[in-house]
Amino acid sequence: MRNHWYDNVKGVLVLLVVFGHLLTDVRGAYDDILPKWVYLFLYTFHMPLFIMLSGYFFRENRYLRVIQLFVVYVIWQVILGSWFAFTEGIPLLSLENPGLILLKPYWALWYLMAIIIWYVITPYVTQLKGYVLYALLFALLFGFQAESTGFFALRKVIMFYPFFLIGNWMSARNTMNFFELPKRAEQRNRYRIGGFAVFTTLTLGLLASMSLQNESAFYHIGNLFKFRFAYETAVPEAIWSGPFAFLIVYTVSILMAISFALIIPGRELPVITRAGKYSLYIYLVHVFLVVAWKAFVPAGFMPTSWLQLLVLFGVAFLIVLLIISPPVVKLLKPLVEIDVRRAQDVKDAKP
């Protein structure tokens, strides 16, 4: 029996992923700060929590899963990268087509590449005592590295890895039964009230601190929470403060991720629970639809930013609804749930 709470958390997060990707270009389409703040707010917790969940449910010696994910990655790298090239008028058979550069994940596919790498290295990393601290220290030091080629999504693989290991560490110790809320309603409600209080406090604190910043500060702080750039880009005014800035980012993201997860209900929810069950379908296919949306719809087609945000959230919800519909799931299943066990069975059957 599936855990509805886990599916609900994933369902909400993947909806926010779609919304965040639709929101990317909107930040520059309006003069007010609202879309910029919403975008920054999402990135403080939604990917860290997604990655912590992946680490929590990671199990060793699942080499067939790694092979499956790699095959899925290659297929969707070609499909999505070529779709982008088509919308931009780039020749499909040229090296300008990102779909043909398999070692450089196209856009959101960095997460799939990262999961593959983390699955391979984690059994060895967890042999180290204090492995979470080692990963965090390495990530903080890597911030000084100006590497920006995008191959293997290396920066995000390294900088997001502490979240994966934190989830794995919590799983190994069953810490606070965090990802499986207690059965007793009274204790469950205390967890939720506490999570709501922490999440609200951090959100208000973030809003207050951002209200004191200028527009360029939003850009740099957003870079911090997205783990996309080296310190020379993320904190150009004081590169050597980078590790301290990122320590604050890691702390805020972990607290917001945990407190947000505790707010999510554990009962089955229409659409959201199913979205969590098919979150990989949504994560892969929504890129196709978002690229199409951006190619044909202006970034700021509504008169005000808040109306634009409402419309985009509705579009994100419709995209999720479309992808998780039974006919679409059935159509996509051969491209998402690839059965690599057949190849293993054939290999084992050979004399």
Side-chain angles (χ1 to χ4, degrees):
M1 182 177 177
R2 293 185 66 92
N3 187 320
H4 291 323
W5 182 70
Y6 172 51
D7 281 337
N8 290 344
V9 175
K10 288 199 303 177
V12 173
L13 291 177
V14 80
L15 173 60
L16 294 180
V17 167
V18 179
F19 179 51
H21 285 158
L22 285 169
L23 188 57
T24 303
D25 296 338
V26 177
R27 292 173 296 165
Y30 296 92
D31 294 331
D32 63 296
I33 212 163
L34 179 61
K36 300 178 181 66
W37 186 87
V38 171
Y39 187 80
L40 172 61
F41 169 72
L42 292 179
Y43 277 89
T44 60
F45 70 92
H46 81 312
M47 283 314 299
L49 179 53
F50 228 130
I51 293 167
M52 287 171 68
L53 285 169
S54 299
Y56 186 84
F57 287 98
F58 166 75
R59 297 294 180 267
E60 295 183 13
N61 302 320
R62 298 182 64 188
Y63 65 96
L64 284 178
R65 177 60 172 164
V66 173
I67 295 171
Q68 180 192 44
L69 288 175
F70 182 73
V71 174
V72 171
Y73 165 77
V74 171
I75 290 173
W76 285 93
Q77 172 77 359
V78 173
I79 292 174
L80 297 176
S82 298
W83 172 243
F84 170 79
F86 174 76
T87 61
E88 295 293 315
I90 298 172
L92 296 181
L93 297 181
S94 74
L95 290 180
E96 295 181 38
N97 176 1
L100 301 183
I101 309 176
L102 296 181
L103 299 182
K104 191 173 182 179
Y106 170 67
W107 198 10
L109 291 179
W110 71 265
Y111 179 67
L112 205 54
M113 171 66 79
I115 287 292
I116 293 168
I117 295 173
W118 294 337
Y119 270 39
V120 171
I121 68 174
T122 296
Y124 305 100
V125 172
T126 52
Q127 297 301 312
L128 300 172
K129 190 175 181 179
Y131 56 88
V132 175
L133 293 178
Y134 280 120
L136 180 60
L137 178 61
F138 186 70
L140 293 175
L141 290 176
F142 190 78
F144 290 107
Q145 169 59 249
E147 177 276 333
S148 60
T149 61
F151 283 99
F152 296 103
L154 188 59
R155 183 168 302 284
K156 289 194 173 186
V157 167
I158 292 173
M159 301 299 283
F160 276 111
Y161 192 38
F163 295 114
F164 186 88
L165 290 179
I166 288 170
N168 180 257
W169 181 89
M170 295 179 76
S171 176
R173 288 154 184 79
N174 200 25
T175 306
M176 295 174 59
N177 292 321
F178 169 55
F179 285 109
E180 295 178 23
L181 288 178
K183 304 297 182 183
R184 292 176 55 193
E186 182 181 342
Q187 192 173 0
R188 233 180 12 246
N189 290 335
R190 284 203 299 267
Y191 274 44
R192 290 210 174 94
I193 291 170
F196 180 79
V198 173
F199 188 77
T200 303
T201 300
L202 289 170
T203 299
L204 293 176
L206 185 67
L207 179 60
S209 64
M210 291 301 95
S211 65
L212 302 175
Q213 306 293 332
N214 56 35
E215 188 169 336
S216 63
F218 258 85
Y219 173 77
H220 294 308
I221 294 173
N223 288 341
L224 290 176
F225 280 100
K226 292 184 72 175
F227 298 99
R228 284 188 60 190
F229 303 105
Y231 295 149
E232 65 180 13
T233 301
V235 282
E237 68 284 351
I239 294 176
W240 287 100
S241 70
F244 302 101
F246 270 89
L247 271 177
I248 295 173
V249 166
Y250 278 114
T251 302
V252 171
S253 290
I254 291 168
L255 291 175
M256 290 194 71
I258 293 175
S259 58
F260 180 80
L262 292 174
I263 299 171
I264 304 299
R267 65 181 183 278
E268 186 172 4
L269 301 174
V271 181
I272 295 299
T273 305
R274 183 174 173 83
K277 181 180 179 181
Y278 294 107
S279 59
L280 182 58
Y281 286 72
I282 298 169
Y283 200 91
L284 293 171
V285 182
H286 88 277
V287 176
F288 187 91
L289 299 174
V290 169
V291 169
W293 175 271
K294 292 185 176 183
F296 300 109
V297 181
F301 63 91
M302 296 300 289
T304 62
S305 63
W306 67 268
L307 279 174
Q308 179 80 351
L309 293 177
L310 288 176
V311 170
L312 290 184
F313 190 82
V315 171
F317 187 82
L318 290 176
I319 288 175
V320 169
L321 204 59
L322 172 66
I323 296 172
I324 66 174
S325 63
V328 175
V329 169
K330 185 177 181 180
L331 178 67
L332 294 173
K333 189 172 184 178
L335 296 176
V336 179
E337 298 184 41
I338 299 172
D339 189 0
V340 297
R341 289 174 299 180
R342 293 182 181 179
Q344 181 66 29
D345 293 341
V346 171
K347 180 180 176 181
D348 292 342
K350 290 181 179 180

